């Protein structure tokens, strides 16, 4: 370990001295045979490990670790993460003072080891009362480029991006929903590596860079949600993109039934994309191969397998603060054509279901304020006359859907306890009178909150999740809307 690393540990722990830190880290290196180097604000343990031959592990082998105590270092952390498998590289983010920054990245030699680390170490009590968070980490190699002239073709955008940045692999451009000869005003640029994408972003991000005389918007593209291969092997729903707005569900069903009459169970179309449900997976896979690139009503369509989402795991990850609320779905704006979703991947899931009937899911309401001019005419209305996308809190959603199902309002019962450090902790129990005699008499989350508002919101979120699973009343699309706060 170089001299900078030794110095970086001095005085960083309230319990151990700098000499003790140094000795502990040197002992770890001697025991494992791994090297340790500090550079650019991070300390690297391994990468590669002793005796490693060949390329680094593939994408998907790295996990992110958050909520690490600031005075905890590799000599304590590495043995914990070695329980899941062989560590290729451990990167601990460091402050100039010598403390760690509260998070790290652990790369394993296989994807299976990384998944095991998430399963056994997420919410692991690393010290009394200190729980770490562990989730998958993916190097982002894709940038979102907004404010692109809509008349530009993919080839033009690709050539221009290659001129101004290095390492460009591909450009992904989607046609306008209303005019297939134009793009939507944004593109995704794929780079050969995370470093190449980061260097391009650094060059383009100041906000003064122009393409074709237009100042462009640049940001990281939100990563796609990865779904394990075993889950994808069970998918029998196709996602169809680039449809004409005028194309009907009946037309889509008829086209996909041509290769095998009666194979399609149902179709749900939203704007210029649709989900095609098949009775059998084999028919779905065959139809994907046949229909991808075909024309329907003059539009060349793209067909892929729809990516399912583990609703309960995703919900729990959100409640644990491990994922971004909009990390895996397209952000839908009131004016879609002038706005720029930063996610490339699966669009919002199927619409809300009430009393067993699907109801169309309207575009999300744009969250902003407008001036209230004197003399503006106001009309009294009931909140129950609004649509679900007008609500942003789980508490309001739960009340709204109880009303829509002709149920009595949810009943909230507040409970408290005291933490070890003397804090008052709160939790709500929710009773839905209409189903109280059914499979579950009440709903209560397994987490406590320090504020009344958070406790009530968490209880409502928990209740919505379980109603969705047990009574099929709510879609994940609803849950995602609640998360966008």
């Amino acid at each position: 370990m170089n001299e900078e690393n030794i110095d970086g540990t001095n005085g960083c722990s309230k319990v151990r001295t700098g000499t003790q830190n140094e000795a502990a880290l040197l002992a770890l290196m001697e025991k494992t045979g791994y090297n340790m180097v500090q550079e650019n604000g991070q300390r690297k343990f391994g990468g590669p490990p002793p005796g490693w031959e060949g390329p680094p592990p593939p994408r998907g082998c790295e996990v992110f670790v958050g909520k690490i105590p600031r005075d905890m270092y590799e000599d304590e952390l590495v043995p914990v993460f070695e329980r899941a498998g062989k560590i290729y590289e451990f990167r601990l983010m460091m402050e100039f003072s010598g403390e760690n920054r509260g998070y790290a990245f652990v790369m394993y030699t296989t994807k299976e080891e990384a998944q095991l680390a998430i399963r056994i170490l997420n919410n692991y009590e690393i010290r009394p009362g200190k729980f770490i968070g562990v989730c998958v980490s993916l190097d982002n190699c894709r940038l979102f480029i907004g404010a692109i002239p809509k008349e530009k073709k993919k080839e033009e955008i690709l050539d221009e991006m290659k001129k101004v940045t290095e390492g460009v692999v591909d450009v992904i451009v989607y046609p306008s929903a209303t005019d297939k000869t134009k793009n939507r005003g944004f593109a995704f640029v794929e780079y050969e590596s995370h470093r190449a994408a980061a260097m391009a972003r650094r060059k383009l991000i100041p906000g003064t860079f122009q393409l074709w005389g237009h100042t462009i918007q640049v940001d990281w593209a939100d990563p796609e949600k990865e779904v394990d291969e075993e889950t994808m092997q069970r998918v029998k729903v196709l996602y169809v993109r680039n449809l004409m707005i005028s194309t009907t569900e009946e037309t889509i069903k008829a086209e996909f039934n041509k290769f095998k009459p009666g194979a399609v169970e149902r179709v749900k179309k939203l704007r210029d994309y649709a989900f095609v449900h098949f009775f059998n997976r084999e028919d779905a896979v065959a139809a994907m191969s046949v229909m991808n690139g075909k024309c329907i009503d003059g539009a060349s369509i793209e067909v892929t397998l729809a990516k399912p989402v583990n609703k309960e795991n995703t919900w729990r990850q959100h409640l644990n603060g491990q994922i971004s609320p909009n990390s895996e779905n397209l952000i839908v704006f009131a004016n879609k054509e002038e706005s720029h979703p930063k996610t490339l991947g699966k669009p919002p899931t199927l619409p809300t279901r009430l009393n067993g009937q699907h109801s169309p899911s309207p575009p999300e309401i744009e969250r902003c304020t407008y001036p209230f001019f004197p003399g503006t005419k106001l009309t009294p209305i009931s909140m129950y006359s609004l649509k679900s996308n007008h609500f942003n809190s789980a508490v309001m959603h739960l009340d709204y859907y109880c009303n829509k199902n002709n149920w009595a309002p949810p009943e909230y019962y507040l409970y408290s306890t005291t933490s070890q450090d003397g804090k008052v902790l709160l939790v709500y129990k929710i009773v839905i009178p209409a189903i109280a005699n059914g499979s579950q008499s009440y709903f209560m989350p397994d987490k406590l909150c320090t504020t009344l508002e958070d406790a009530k919101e968490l209880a409502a979120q928990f209740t919505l999740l379980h109603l969705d699973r047990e009574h099929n009343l709510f879609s994940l699309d609803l849950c995602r809307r609640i998360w966008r706060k």
Side-chain angles (χ1 to χ4, degrees):
M1 185 171 65
N2 63 19
E3 184 176 351
E4 181 185 358
N5 298 337
I6 306 298
D7 293 340
T9 62
N10 290 339
C12 64
S13 173
K14 296 178 181 179
V15 179
R16 301 190 310 194
T17 65
T19 302
Q20 289 172 322
N21 281 331
E22 176 184 334
L25 294 175
L26 287 172
L28 176 67
M29 293 166 61
E30 184 175 350
K31 177 184 177 181
T32 61
Y34 282 63
N35 292 321
M36 191 179 291
V37 178
Q38 183 163 324
E39 58 183 8
N40 299 327
Q42 62 181 340
R43 196 156 60 197
K44 295 183 179 180
F45 173 81
W52 180 269
E53 295 182 1
R59 184 180 173 91
C61 293
E62 187 175 70
V63 299
F64 169 80
V65 186
K67 297 188 273 188
I68 299 173
R70 295 299 184 98
D71 59 348
M72 181 173 279
Y73 302 97
E74 291 88 346
D75 59 296
E76 292 183 78
L77 292 166
V78 167
V80 172
F81 283 89
E82 281 181 331
R83 298 176 191 176
K86 184 177 180 62
I87 294 175
Y88 176 85
E89 179 182 74
F90 189 103
R91 294 186 290 129
L92 183 63
M93 303 300 114
M94 302 296 296
E95 298 280 12
F96 182 75
S97 65
E99 286 188 331
N100 76 64
R101 297 174 65 185
Y103 65 97
F105 296 88
V106 186
M107 182 178 290
Y108 289 93
T109 57
T110 67
K111 292 182 180 180
E112 291 73 22
E113 292 170 334
Q115 289 299 317
L116 178 61
I118 294 171
R119 287 199 301 272
I120 67 175
L121 296 175
N122 184 37
N123 277 334
Y124 176 76
E125 190 171 14
I126 196 87
R127 280 184 181 169
K130 302 291 184 181
F131 298 85
I132 56 173
V134 182
C135 60
V136 68
S137 168
L138 296 174
D139 285 341
N140 201 344
C141 300
R142 185 174 289 159
L143 294 182
F144 163 82
I145 309 295
I148 292 176
K150 293 184 179 181
E151 67 275 6
K152 297 299 179 182
K153 305 298 183 185
K154 174 178 177 174
E155 294 73 20
E156 297 176 273
I157 299 171
L158 179 62
D159 290 343
E160 194 68 18
M161 293 307 300
K162 284 183 174 180
K163 289 178 186 176
V164 298
T165 60
E166 297 180 359
V168 176
V169 174
D170 192 19
V171 168
I172 301 163
V173 183
Y174 295 127
S176 165
T178 55
D179 184 350
K180 300 301 181 183
T181 65
K182 296 181 178 180
N183 69 64
R184 296 194 180 188
F186 64 88
F188 296 95
V189 184
E190 187 81 19
Y191 288 86
E192 62 187 12
S193 66
H194 175 74
R195 176 177 173 79
M199 296 299 292
R201 180 176 179 270
R202 183 178 300 180
K203 180 178 180 180
L204 303 174
I205 201 65
T208 58
F209 201 91
Q210 293 191 340
L211 292 179
W212 303 288
H214 293 254
T215 300
I216 58 172
Q217 301 168 7
V218 182
D219 203 349
W220 290 109
D222 291 338
E224 267 190 275
K225 175 74 174 180
E226 290 210 344
V227 181
D228 64 89
E229 188 173 344
E230 182 182 351
T231 301
M232 289 302 295
Q233 288 297 324
R234 299 193 296 269
V235 172
K236 53 182 181 179
V237 181
L238 297 182
Y239 167 54
V240 184
R241 189 199 299 274
N242 197 32
L243 292 161
M244 298 294 290
I245 289 182
S246 58
T247 299
T248 64
E249 293 178 354
E250 290 73 21
T251 297
I252 299 168
K253 186 172 184 178
E255 290 292 330
F256 277 81
N257 265 330
K258 281 183 177 179
F259 88 102
K260 184 178 180 180
V264 177
E265 178 186 2
R266 68 181 187 275
V267 174
K268 186 61 193 179
K269 180 174 182 281
L270 299 96
R271 197 166 169 82
D272 62 339
Y273 61 90
F275 296 94
V276 182
H277 297 250
F278 285 78
F279 288 104
N280 299 307
R281 173 179 166 79
E282 295 74 17
D283 293 338
V285 174
M288 177 176 65
S289 176
V290 171
M291 295 299 295
N292 188 38
K294 295 288 186 180
C295 281
I296 297 180
D297 291 343
S300 178
I301 61 172
E302 299 175 27
V303 184
T304 59
L305 285 171
K307 289 188 176 181
V309 178
N310 185 322
K311 295 186 280 188
E312 185 165 3
N313 286 348
T314 302
W315 184 277
R316 288 180 177 175
Q317 284 182 322
H318 170 70
L319 296 182
N320 291 335
Q322 295 155 27
I323 59 172
S324 166
N326 62 355
S327 63
E328 62 184 15
N329 55 291
L330 287 176
I331 303 171
V332 184
F333 294 84
N335 187 349
K336 293 188 181 72
E337 291 306 311
E338 299 301 326
S339 304
H340 316 294
K342 294 195 300 176
T343 303
L344 174 64
K346 192 163 89 76
T349 52
L350 289 177
T352 309
R353 193 180 184 101
L354 288 175
N355 296 324
Q357 298 297 319
H358 284 295
S359 59
S361 184
E364 287 210 16
I365 298 298
E366 185 180 26
R367 294 194 65 198
C368 60
T369 59
Y370 291 83
F372 180 33
F373 297 109
T376 301
K377 184 179 179 181
L378 298 176
T379 304
I381 63 170
S382 165
M383 62 170 278
Y384 301 115
S385 67
L386 299 172
K387 294 181 179 178
S388 62
N389 61 322
H390 286 90
F391 306 117
N392 190 54
S393 80
V395 173
M396 295 300 293
H397 270 287
L398 183 56
D399 189 68
Y400 176 83
Y401 281 108
C402 283
N403 178 271
K404 287 294 182 183
N405 283 279
N406 296 314
W407 295 349
E411 297 174 359
Y412 291 81
Y413 298 91
L414 182 63
Y415 297 87
S416 72
T417 188
T418 305
S419 67
Q420 292 179 349
D421 57 359
K423 290 182 180 177
V424 176
L425 303 178
L426 306 170
V427 64
Y428 270 100
K429 178 175 77 175
I430 296 180
V431 174
I432 308 292
I435 59 174
N437 296 323
S439 59
Q440 186 164 354
S441 59
Y442 68 88
F443 303 92
M444 181 182 286
D446 57 359
K447 294 186 184 299
L448 301 163
C449 299
T450 56
T451 69
L452 195 66
E453 294 84 358
D454 288 348
K456 194 168 188 178
E457 186 72 7
L458 179 62
Q461 290 176 349
F462 181 84
T463 304
L464 286 169
L465 172 64
H466 283 268
L467 287 174
D468 181 26
R469 189 173 59 191
E470 296 177 14
H471 297 273
N472 201 25
L473 292 173
F474 306 99
S475 71
L476 187 59
D477 184 44
L478 162 62
C479 299
R480 283 173 172 160
R481 290 177 192 160
I482 296 169
W483 295 347
R484 293 188 196 132
K485 295 191 281 187

